[in-house]
Amino acid sequence: MEQHFILRLIGELQNSVDIFESKFEKLNEKSINMIYKNHTYPGIIVKLPCIIESQKTLDKKQYYKICDISTLIVIYPNSNYDFDKERKILELSGLSAPLKYVKARRFRKNHNGKAQMISEIEHQVNKLIEKDKKAFKTEIVGEDKDVSDTEISDIAAELEDNFEFNETKIKKEEQIEENTEIISLKNEIEKQEKLVENAL
């Protein structure tokens, strides 16, 4: 098996650097330098969100897997970049544009209102069962007069209204959380686009 990684050059380095004449110097698990014609360019090492297969072919019909790629190396033209911030963004994203922040979107917290209410109801029921087990004596106490159908329907309607109110409240809270996440992601994307424009 071979060892491969993906190399990404930022800005003017794409046209001005010959990779075959360059040397790489690994500083640690997160940082690396590229040396080309006595110039040192800083870079970062990023772990991709998922493993990518590298394949070879001789006849463009049959493909053979030669290794797994899990590392992305990004080389910058200078040290004016916030490398920690760049690394965090790249670790959450894939290689293509649709996979921007894919890790954050895939593993984001999903606040499901109904599931939360069901878990609360189960918790309360379990509490009642435990209290019932500890009781020495059980007795059913009720009023002598029979409850009319209208009273039962009123109670049911009131419970249903309370349930719908809680459900709409939870949905609004979820929408607010999603909107804040989207706004923060958009701000990060705009900052990155400005950095790319300045680099170009």
Side-chain angles (χ1 to χ4, degrees):
M1 295 289 284
E2 300 179 6
Q3 292 183 352
H4 288 189
F5 61 86
I6 297 173
L7 178 64
R8 183 180 290 176
L9 302 177
I10 301 299
E12 60 188 12
L13 296 179
Q14 296 176 2
N15 300 321
S16 61
V17 172
D18 187 0
I19 299 172
F20 298 103
E21 295 180 2
S22 303
K23 293 181 180 179
F24 293 92
E25 182 182 6
K26 186 177 180 182
L27 304 177
N28 51 47
E29 293 182 356
K30 295 183 178 181
S31 301
I32 193 169
N33 284 338
M34 185 180 74
I35 302 170
Y36 176 69
K37 291 184 178 180
N38 297 326
H39 290 283
T40 302
Y41 300 99
I44 57 175
I45 301 172
V46 180
K47 296 295 181 183
L48 293 172
C50 62
I51 295 172
I52 301 169
E53 289 186 358
S54 179
Q55 299 177 345
K56 281 185 178 180
T57 181
L58 299 174
D59 54 2
K60 295 185 179 180
K61 292 180 180 179
Q62 292 182 338
Y63 291 85
Y64 303 93
K65 177 183 174 181
I66 54 174
C67 74
D68 291 325
I69 302 173
S70 62
T71 305
L72 170 68
I73 294 177
V74 185
I75 304 297
Y76 296 90
N78 51 54
S79 58
N80 295 331
Y81 293 83
D82 188 355
F83 295 121
D84 292 332
K85 191 174 182 180
E86 292 281 332
R87 188 182 293 106
K88 286 181 181 178
I89 293 171
L90 291 171
E91 283 178 350
L92 295 174
S93 305
L95 295 175
S96 59
L99 297 177
K100 189 79 171 178
Y101 299 108
V102 65
K103 198 172 180 181
R105 287 187 279 116
R106 172 63 180 82
F107 297 104
R108 67 181 177 184
K109 293 181 180 179
N110 186 11
H111 301 285
N112 193 346
K114 290 183 179 179
Q116 190 175 359
M117 290 182 70
I118 289 169
S119 63
E120 288 179 2
I121 292 168
E122 288 178 352
H123 182 65
Q124 294 295 331
V125 170
N126 290 329
K127 273 188 177 180
L128 292 173
I129 291 170
E130 288 178 1
K131 287 181 180 179
D132 191 35
K133 287 179 181 178
K134 293 178 181 178
F136 296 103
K137 181 181 177 183
T138 57
E139 184 179 353
I140 299 172
V141 179
E143 296 181 358
D144 294 334
K145 63 178 183 178
D146 296 331
V147 181
S148 62
D149 294 336
T150 55
E151 291 178 354
I152 293 171
S153 62
D154 292 338
I155 293 168
E158 186 177 352
L159 291 172
E160 189 175 354
D161 291 337
N162 290 332
F163 178 77
E164 289 178 355
F165 175 76
N166 291 329
E167 192 174 9
T168 53
K169 186 178 179 182
I170 291 167
K171 286 181 179 178
K172 287 180 180 178
E173 291 176 355
E174 289 177 358
Q175 289 177 355
I176 291 169
E177 289 180 359
E178 289 180 357
N179 289 333
T180 53
E181 288 181 3
I182 291 168
I183 290 168
S184 62
L185 289 174
K186 284 183 178 179
N187 292 332
E188 290 293 336
I189 291 168
E190 289 177 358
K191 288 180 182 177
Q192 292 301 316
E193 288 177 351
K194 288 180 180 179
L195 289 174
V196 172
E197 288 177 359
N198 293 330
L200 293 174

